[in-house]
């Protein structure tokens, strides 16, 4: 499990011991703010690393329990893999316990451990009563089978048992997709002197590496990951499930906010109109009316809007999902399947939650026709379901598609054939990919090639292995190979040995240094056959030191010069003219003295030049002399 990363949430009523328990497990005090210390309550979510012996990387989120800080609680648990529901033995199930429980279910948290804390304050009989009370509260929920652990964070009693229970539960958790497109909903933004703007959050999916270009959504601001930290330690990369702080360049602190999302691709939508399937809480105090103002919590975003029903004018209690729409005052970043919570702004209360059916909804008419359309959209056609899993995993074979969609083989095959005919899917060998993903892959590849060519104009292109490495965290290797092959066949990309470049690219001198480099070419020509060591042409020059090797390779690859030795180059035309002169003034067979009389140079230059003649098959060496061949290479 050394490559897996998980986030655990500590949830529960105020003053039930979440922060104390977190400290007992991690030896980290997550109450950071002065106000938290003074009032002995958590206002912002706190984070701490839980160290394990088997290499599993775990972050614990201590979320606020006070009703006034419920919005921070929602942002804190968004993105967790396992929840520890904390209930104090001396108080039992309280109002915020129940509200947190509902929120956790709405957010799709599937695994829960109940930690009954402060057991040193009560006797065993009361502990049993509290346990029964909790079981009753969990009855009918997805946490009805949650394991209970009795613990005291102050004395340490039961802490090790809880730790082992957590590790055991994590083995059953399906960890997040590291191959998905990188997405990090931001929950904290701050500045550090000498470093600039820091954005922090839990990575929902994908991988981010140091130097990666990123986009802040919904604003669309382009930035770069200058430095990455996981629990205050510098790392080269961070991946799905990790609590991460990213030092971003190209943006001021005022241009980035809590609720924004950092992404590394254009796979994500921003929207103000989303179609949703939602459920209402059981104990809602007042019905929610048509077009009533609501506050949406999705990821770490908190946005006002209104709720629009298509089959009713108000809702209060319903055992079924309600299909409706949220029309927001501001754009949010959403994907199909994302979970959300809705709260009433006044009187303040959680009224429900659910998941996004369509992140880009439109305005529909009230009535059964719209509900039927939303039901179809919710269920999705086989093609829709296949599209969803291909969007998440990029490249899948037939068996994987069957597993991820839970569709019968015959249904999958028919849907794939229809999708291919409609140009929705593309087959590549045994795998399938979305046409849109393929198009985005082509665009990304061209952008990468053009960027590389602009920075390295003297090179023939980017090495294929380097290109694969560049996209290793964005796309699977088989997908990149497929895109490269297709683009080469379509003559959008040209391949020269292991190098790739756009079809219209030709190696050239960088404009900034063109005049200086052309001067060196003229000096090389002027030296004729008695050339200097290559490094001597750069003495006193303002050219960057690394330019020498780059320029040398450029001249050799473009055929403007030949390598006489490892340290010397000769201009191509100078060499060809010398060969022609030697051919005119020697017989079919000639020796070193003949060469010296024609070229008038020392052995230092004569021997390498003759060896170059042999290499190009203009001559062949025989018994201490050379014989001209009918034609060279």
């Amino acid at each position: 499990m050394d490559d897996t990363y998980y986030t655990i949430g500590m949830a529960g009523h105020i003053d039930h011991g979440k922060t104390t328990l977190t400290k007992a497990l991690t030896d980290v005090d997550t109450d950071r703010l002065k106000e938290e210390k003074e009032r002995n309550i958590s206002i912002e979510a706190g984070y701490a690393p839980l160290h394990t012996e088997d290499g599993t990387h775990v972050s614990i989120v201590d979320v606020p329990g006070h009703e006034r800080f419920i919005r921070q609680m929602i942002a804190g648990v968004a993105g967790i893999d396992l929840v520890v529901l904390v209930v104090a033995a001396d108080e039992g199930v309280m109002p915020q316990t129940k509200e947190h429980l509902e929120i956790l279910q709405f957010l799709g948290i599937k695994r829960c451990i109940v930690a009954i804390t402060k057991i040193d304050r009560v006797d065993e009989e009361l502990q049993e009563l509290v346990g029964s009370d909790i079981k009753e509260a969990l009855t009918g929920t997805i946490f009805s089978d949650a394991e209970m652990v009795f613990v005291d964070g102050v004395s340490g009693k039961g802490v090790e048992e809880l730790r082992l229970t957590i590790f055991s539960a994590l083995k059953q958790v399906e960890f997040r997709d590291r191959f998905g497109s990188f997405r990090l909903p931001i929950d904290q933004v701050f500045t550090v002197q000498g470093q600039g703007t820091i954005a922090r959050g839990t990575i929902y999916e994908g991988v981010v590496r140091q130097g990666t270009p990123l986009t802040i959504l919904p604003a669309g601001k382009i930035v770069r990951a200058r430095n990455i930290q996981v629990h205050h330690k510098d790392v080269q990369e961070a991946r799905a499930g990790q609590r991460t702080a990213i030092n971003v360049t190209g943006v001021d602190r005022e241009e980035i906010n809590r609720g924004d999302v950092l992404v590394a691709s254009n796979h994500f939508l921003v929207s103000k109109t989303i179609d949703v399937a939602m459920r209402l809480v059981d104990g809602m105090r007042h019905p929610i009316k048509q077009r009533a103002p609501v506050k949406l919590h999705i990821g770490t975003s908190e946005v006002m809007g209104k709720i629009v029903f298509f089959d009713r004018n108000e809702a209060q209690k319903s055992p079924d999902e309600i299909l409706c729409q949220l029309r927001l005052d501001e754009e949010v970043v959403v994907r199909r399947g994302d979970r959300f919570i809705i709260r009433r702004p006044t009187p303040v209360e959680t009224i429900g939650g659910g998941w996004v059916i369509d992140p880009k909804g439109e305005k529909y008419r009230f009535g059964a026709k719209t509900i039927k359309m939303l039901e179809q959209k919710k269920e999705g056609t086989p093609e829709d379901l296949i599209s969803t899993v291909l969007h998440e995993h990029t490249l899948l074979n037939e068996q994987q598609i069957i597993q991820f969609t839970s569709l019968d083989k015959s249904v999958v095959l028919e849907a794939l054939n229809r999708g291919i005919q409609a140009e929705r899917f593309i087959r590549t060998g045994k795998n399938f990919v979305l046409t849109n993903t393929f198009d985005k892959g082509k665009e990304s590849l061209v952008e990468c090639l053009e960027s590389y060519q602009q920075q390295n104009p003297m090179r023939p292109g980017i090495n294929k292995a380097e290109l694969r490495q560049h996209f290793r965290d964005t796309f699977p290797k088989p997908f990149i190979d497929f895109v490269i092959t297709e683009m080469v066949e379509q003559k959008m990309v040209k391949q020269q040995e292991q190098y790739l470049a756009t079809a219209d690219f030709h190696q050239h001198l960088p404009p900034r240094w063109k005049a200086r480099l052309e001067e060196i070419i003229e000096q090389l020509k002027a030296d004729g056959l008695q050339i200097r060591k290559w490094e001597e042409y750069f003495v006193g020059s303002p050219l960057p030191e690394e330019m020498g090797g780059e320029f040398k390779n450029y001249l050799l690859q473009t055929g403007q010069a030949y390598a006489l030795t490892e340290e010397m180059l000769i201009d191509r035309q100078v060499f060809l003219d010398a060969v022609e002169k030697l051919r005119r003034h020697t017989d079919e067979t000639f020796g070193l003295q003949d060469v010296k009389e024609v070229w008038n140079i020392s052995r230092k230059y004569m021997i390498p030049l003759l060896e170059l003649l042999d290499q190009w098959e203009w001559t062949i060496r025989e018994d201490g002399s050379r014989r001209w061949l009918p034609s060279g290479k």
Side-chain angles (χ1 to χ4, degrees), residues 210-448:
Q210 197 173 51
T212 300
L214 302 172
T215 303
I216 302 171
L217 295 178
K221 180 79 174 177
I222 305 298
V223 297
R224 187 173 293 274
R226 178 183 177 187
N227 188 43
I228 302 171
Q229 284 195 347
V230 175
H231 290 302
H232 307 292
K233 292 183 179 179
D234 288 340
V235 295
Q236 291 296 310
E237 68 174 34
R239 59 186 66 182
Q242 285 189 298
R243 178 70 183 164
T244 306
I246 302 178
N247 176 202
V248 290
T249 61
V251 64
D252 293 331
R253 164 66 183 86
E254 294 73 22
E255 297 178 82
I256 184 168
N257 300 291
R258 175 183 184 141
D260 289 344
V261 181
L262 278 174
V263 301
S265 74
N266 57 0
H267 296 179
F268 298 94
L269 294 172
V270 294
S271 176
K272 295 173 71 173
T273 305
I274 56 178
D275 299 336
V276 301
M278 63 172 287
R279 294 184 184 275
L280 301 176
V281 299
D282 290 335
M284 192 165 60
R285 286 173 277 181
H286 306 284
I288 184 76
K289 295 182 183 280
Q290 174 74 292
R291 298 182 181 274
V294 294
K295 183 174 286 188
L296 169 72
H297 298 265
I298 189 162
T300 58
S301 297
E302 183 180 334
V303 180
M304 289 297 298
K306 59 186 177 184
I307 190 166
V308 178
F309 298 115
F310 300 105
D311 60 348
R312 66 196 72 196
N313 288 313
E314 68 174 31
Q316 182 166 22
K317 190 173 183 180
S318 173
D320 302 317
E321 282 185 323
I322 298 173
L323 303 181
C324 55
Q325 190 175 80
L326 298 175
R327 297 180 186 172
L328 308 173
D329 297 344
E330 303 171 43
E331 289 183 321
V332 293
V333 181
V334 287
R335 290 180 68 172
R336 177 180 167 89
D338 281 357
R339 295 280 180 162
F340 65 87
I341 298 294
I342 289 182
R343 305 197 83 215
R344 194 199 309 267
T346 178
V348 177
E349 65 174 331
T350 301
I351 59 176
W355 60 283
V356 176
I357 297 174
D358 188 346
K360 209 73 173 175
E362 300 176 4
K363 291 189 176 181
Y364 315 122
R365 292 179 178 272
F366 187 93
K369 186 175 180 181
T370 294
I371 292 298
K372 183 177 180 181
M373 178 273 295
L374 290 174
E375 286 175 345
Q376 291 174 341
K377 191 183 289 191
K378 172 190 167 186
E379 297 302 326
T381 64
E383 288 94 328
D384 292 336
L385 294 175
I386 292 173
S387 293
T388 298
V389 298
L390 285 177
H391 180 82
E392 292 175 356
H393 300 279
T394 306
L395 201 70
L396 295 174
N397 59 35
E398 176 188 303
Q399 185 60 38
Q400 290 170 320
I401 292 173
I402 293 170
Q403 290 173 346
F404 285 128
T405 61
S406 299
L407 296 173
D408 290 338
K409 182 176 180 179
S410 59
V411 175
V412 167
L413 292 178
E414 290 175 6
L416 286 171
N417 288 331
R418 287 194 300 267
I420 291 171
Q421 291 174 7
E423 298 184 348
R424 189 174 183 178
F425 310 138
I426 296 174
R427 179 193 288 271
T428 160
K430 295 182 179 181
N431 295 316
F432 298 86
V433 64
L434 285 174
T435 301
N436 286 344
T437 303
F438 175 63
D439 291 340
K440 288 172 183 173
K442 288 197 297 184
E443 291 172 9
S444 299
L445 190 139
V446 169
E447 288 175 4
C448 179

Side-chain angles (χ1 to χ4, degrees), residues 400-589:
Q400 290 170 320
I401 292 173
I402 293 170
Q403 290 173 346
F404 285 128
T405 61
S406 299
L407 296 173
D408 290 338
K409 182 176 180 179
S410 59
V411 175
V412 167
L413 292 178
E414 290 175 6
L416 286 171
N417 288 331
R418 287 194 300 267
I420 291 171
Q421 291 174 7
E423 298 184 348
R424 189 174 183 178
F425 310 138
I426 296 174
R427 179 193 288 271
T428 160
K430 295 182 179 181
N431 295 316
F432 298 86
V433 64
L434 285 174
T435 301
N436 286 344
T437 303
F438 175 63
D439 291 340
K440 288 172 183 173
K442 288 197 297 184
E443 291 172 9
S444 299
L445 190 139
V446 169
E447 288 175 4
C448 179
L449 291 178
E450 289 177 342
S451 175
Y452 186 89
Q453 291 162 187
Q454 185 177 4
Q455 295 175 38
N456 306 281
M458 291 192 289
R459 298 180 186 179
I462 187 172
N463 191 296
K464 191 174 182 180
E466 187 177 346
L467 184 66
R468 287 177 180 147
Q469 183 74 5
H470 177 81
F471 286 108
R472 69 169 188 161
D473 296 328
T474 308
F475 300 112
K477 178 179 173 293
F479 174 75
I480 287 298
D481 288 343
F482 169 64
V483 173
I484 291 171
T485 301
E486 288 294 307
M487 295 186 75
V488 170
E489 290 181 1
Q490 295 172 16
K491 300 190 184 314
M492 297 175 66
V493 169
K494 59 184 177 184
Q495 183 167 0
Q496 178 183 339
E497 296 178 342
Q498 74 269 35
Y499 300 103
L500 295 164
T502 55
D504 59 351
F505 174 72
H506 298 284
Q507 290 169 265
H508 60 275
L509 299 177
R512 180 183 177 187
W513 303 109
K514 185 177 180 182
R516 296 281 186 178
L517 294 173
E518 286 178 340
E519 287 178 7
I520 293 176
I521 293 175
E522 292 305 316
Q523 292 173 23
L524 192 65
K525 289 179 179 178
D527 285 346
L529 299 181
Q530 301 188 66
I531 49 189
R532 292 169 274 166
K533 289 183 179 181
W534 181 245
E535 61 186 28
E536 294 179 19
Y537 288 95
F538 292 84
V539 175
S541 170
L543 291 165
E545 184 177 344
E546 66 274 9
M547 187 74 74
E550 194 90 358
F551 185 37
K552 178 181 178 181
N553 291 333
Y554 164 76
L555 293 176
L556 293 173
Q557 290 165 352
T558 56
Q560 297 180 59
Y562 299 138
L564 195 58
T565 67
E566 288 187 4
E567 298 179 322
M568 292 189 290
L569 296 188
I570 185 168
D571 178 79
R572 176 179 180 274
Q573 195 57 51
V574 168
F575 177 66
L576 294 179
D577 290 345
V579 172
E580 181 59 28
K581 182 179 179 181
L582 185 65
R583 186 188 285 272
R584 288 199 314 266
H585 293 86
T586 55
D587 297 327
E588 182 178 352
T589 300

